Amino acid sequence: MTRADLLAAWHAHLSHGRRRSDHTVRAYGTTAARLLDAVAVDDWGALARLDAAALRQQLARRRAEGLGNASAARELSALKAFIRFAREQAGMPDPAPPRMRGPRVKKGIPRPVTPDDAVNLAALVADEAAEEWIGARDRAVLLLLYGAGLRIAEALALTGGALPLGEVLVVTGKGGKQRAVPILPLVRAAVEAYAAQCPWPLTREAALFRGAKGGALSQGMVQKAVARARAVLGLPPTATPHALRHSFATHLLGAGADLRSLQELLGHASLGSTQIYTRVDAATLLDVYRSAHPREQD
């Protein structure tokens, strides 16, 4: 087996097995390639035997190249995901990667969740999940918040009857008011990936998003997963699941959406609730939206 074979299998796993975005596949693929160059192994068994010391050495090399704490934390997550995959391929009974702490990330000035932050947050929550189907579930929920502007309660209230998702999803919001929300291809693919892996039957009446024991997923579980991921990425405490909905709104407004359309998408009863988003610098948001919003990455 060659280095190219290992990387091809890793790329296929990320793209097709876990339906990661092109951005994540490129970033995780590059991280894996750097590790293979550094340790000079060419089979799954040798790669699977790498321990925490080997990963620390790789991170030290990257830090010497000027990698910051937040980027190093994300790189460690990618390395651990690659080692887990290698151990699965090598047939190890316990594929869990070496346990090690990531670099400390100093708390900075609070900032909004940028498109890149939102995508990285969803990807890292999925990567850090205890089981692959749980990771797919959490990623799908977060992309519904960020890619479709749903409230977390609205996403968790969906039932199996919402499947298969089309281009538009009818959501029941506050006060029982219904609205039609466009569903981006990336969001639809994430929900489909979760549904395909979910070990529980997704009947029309039952909750779409399930907890580990089969019951309806709670908001608290999603919030805890996001809290762990934002600590790794060095995001502020304001980077909550609900903040992803706010980011959806501000990024769309910056990209040229009018307030009335945004009001409908968010399900606000009054235009006044929507006008808060006009405080955002539209020109800056337009740039980041075009470069990093999931809609540009499907």
Side-chain angles (χ1 to χ4, degrees), residues 151 154 172-178 267 269:
R151 299 178 177 92
E154 293 169 347
T172 302
K174 290 183 177 180
K177 181 181 178 181
Q178 291 189 322

Side-chain angles (χ1 to χ4, degrees), residues 38-277:
V39 299
V41 300
D42 57 5
D43 66 85
W44 293 121
L47 191 58
R49 289 190 291 274
L50 294 181
D51 57 12
L55 297 190
R56 277 194 291 268
Q57 289 174 0
Q58 178 63 7
L59 276 184
R61 283 188 285 267
R62 293 286 289 137
R63 296 300 294 271
E65 297 171 1
L67 197 68
N69 280 6
S71 296
R74 179 74 198 277
E75 183 135 339
L76 175 59
S77 177
L79 287 170
K80 290 166 71 175
F82 186 43
I83 296 302
R84 175 186 287 276
F85 179 67
R87 292 182 173 187
E88 290 172 349
Q89 298 307 298
M92 293 180 68
D94 180 12
R99 294 179 63 86
M100 56 182 291
R101 289 180 176 275
R104 290 179 177 272
V105 181
K106 293 182 180 179
K107 293 182 179 180
I109 299 173
R111 63 184 189 275
V113 179
T114 67
D116 200 42
D117 287 340
V119 173
N120 283 339
L121 191 64
L124 188 59
V125 164
D127 291 337
E128 295 290 305
E131 296 183 51
E132 191 165 322
W133 78 269
I134 292 177
R137 177 201 69 193
D138 292 347
R139 179 170 181 266
V141 171
L142 295 183
L143 287 182
L144 277 170
L145 308 187
Y146 178 59
L150 270 62
R151 299 178 177 92
I152 187 170
E154 293 169 347
L156 299 187
L158 294 174
T159 68
L163 299 175
L165 291 186
E167 294 185 354
V168 175
L169 174 66
V170 176
V171 179
T172 302
K174 290 183 177 180
K177 181 181 178 181
Q178 291 189 322
R179 69 184 189 278
V181 179
I183 299 297
L184 303 174
L186 182 69
V187 177
R188 185 162 57 248
V191 175
E192 289 173 353
Y194 156 69
Q197 298 177 56
C198 181
W200 310 101
L202 300 177
T203 60
R204 290 189 60 83
E205 296 77 20
L208 172 59
F209 295 109
R210 304 296 189 83
K213 296 182 179 180
L217 179 63
S218 70
Q219 293 189 30
M221 294 305 296
V222 179
Q223 290 163 344
K224 287 178 181 178
V226 169
R228 290 192 295 269
R230 74 173 177 243
V232 172
L233 293 173
L235 298 177
T238 51
T240 62
H242 193 64
L244 295 178
R245 169 176 154 90
H246 286 310
S247 296
F248 163 85
T250 54
H251 300 158
L252 285 187
L253 186 62
D258 64 89
L259 280 176
R260 286 293 181 188
S261 297
L262 191 57
Q263 179 188 2
E264 290 297 321
L265 287 173
L266 293 172
H268 285 161
S270 68
L271 189 61
S273 299
T274 313
Q275 287 175 331
I276 186 174
Y277 298 108

